[in-house]
Amino acid sequence: MALIDIRTYPDKVLGRKAAGVEQIDARLQRVIEDMFETMYAAPGIGLAAPQIGLSKRLLVIDINSRSEGKEKYPPLVLINPEIAALEGEAESEEGCLSLPDFTAKVNRATRLFVKGVDREGKPLELDATGLLAIALQHEIDHLEGTLILDKASSIKRHFYKKKLAKKSR
Ligand code: NI
């Protein structure tokens, strides 16, 4: 296993729509292991493949460190996810490993049904609520090339870009 550098904004791969995964092979299994290791080390509760520079529809989530022992979900691998239905709306304060020192309030559905396949290529259907629903929407956004920066207020976006410009000078 290996830790991989997490791509940060404005890396172009983060703004690209990711392509579907066509082959679930040994190489992809290694990528999945690396994504988990990289996510845990960060630390974070979710990571999408574009964040490690791979523009493929693949994400990993493990919310157990943040779920306060309420509901336990096994670490999740989701390939080629498709949102089948959304329900409810609530504001959620989110951060992103690709946007250091940035958080934003984002409107999210409170429940979603999502379909995809697991790491063995078997069909997977999830009915998610709470933090899992938020994490799924956040990571699926990454596959569309959307960051919470794009969903933040224009003032927050402006100041974050200004801060980055100062840093890189
Ligand atoms: Ni993110």
Side-chain angles (χ1 to χ4, degrees):
M1 292 208 288
L3 283 179
I4 304 172
D5 281 339
I6 294 176
R7 304 295 182 93
T8 55
Y9 177 85
D11 193 312
K12 284 202 166 58
V13 72
L14 297 171
R16 214 172 282 153
K17 185 178 160 93
V21 172
E22 281 167 6
Q23 234 181 343
I24 298 174
D25 52 13
R27 192 178 159 270
L28 193 77
Q29 301 303 329
R30 281 197 299 275
V31 169
I32 291 166
E33 294 305 320
D34 290 346
M35 283 176 67
F36 273 116
E37 194 185 346
T38 301
M39 177 186 78
Y40 289 133
I45 60 168
L47 194 68
Q51 294 181 277
I52 58 158
L54 181 67
S55 194
K56 294 276 181 191
R57 303 186 81 78
L58 161 66
L59 60 89
V60 301
I61 289 176
D62 186 345
I63 60 166
N64 287 310
S65 65
R66 287 261 309 275
S67 65
E68 289 145 12
K70 277 184 275 175
E71 292 166 276
K72 289 283 177 190
Y73 292 94
L76 174 70
V77 176
L78 189 56
I79 296 168
N80 297 339
E82 272 176 52
I83 294 175
L86 293 164
E87 202 178 276
E89 196 185 299
E91 213 172 45
S92 127
E93 177 92 21
E94 298 175 26
C96 179
L97 296 174
S98 294
L99 296 163
D101 307 316
F102 181 81
T103 61
K105 289 197 172 100
V106 183
N107 281 322
R108 297 292 189 194
T110 52
R111 183 180 183 187
L112 83 161
F113 296 89
V114 60
K115 291 177 180 179
V117 296
D118 68 11
R119 62 187 297 173
E120 267 102 48
K122 293 193 196 109
L124 188 63
E125 280 189 37
L126 295 164
D127 174 358
T129 56
L131 184 58
L132 183 62
I134 292 166
L136 277 165
Q137 290 169 80
H138 180 114
E139 301 312 332
I140 291 171
D141 271 353
H142 274 297
L143 306 182
E144 296 299 321
T146 302
L147 299 175
I148 55 171
L149 187 67
D150 305 312
K151 300 195 159 193
S153 70
S154 59
I155 290 186
K156 286 205 89 165
R157 202 159 50 229
H158 174 77
F159 279 106
Y160 188 70
K161 287 180 181 177
K162 233 172 120 173
K163 203 164 84 178
L164 281 188
K166 249 184 215 162
K167 251 195 226 165
S168 65
R169 223 176 266 161

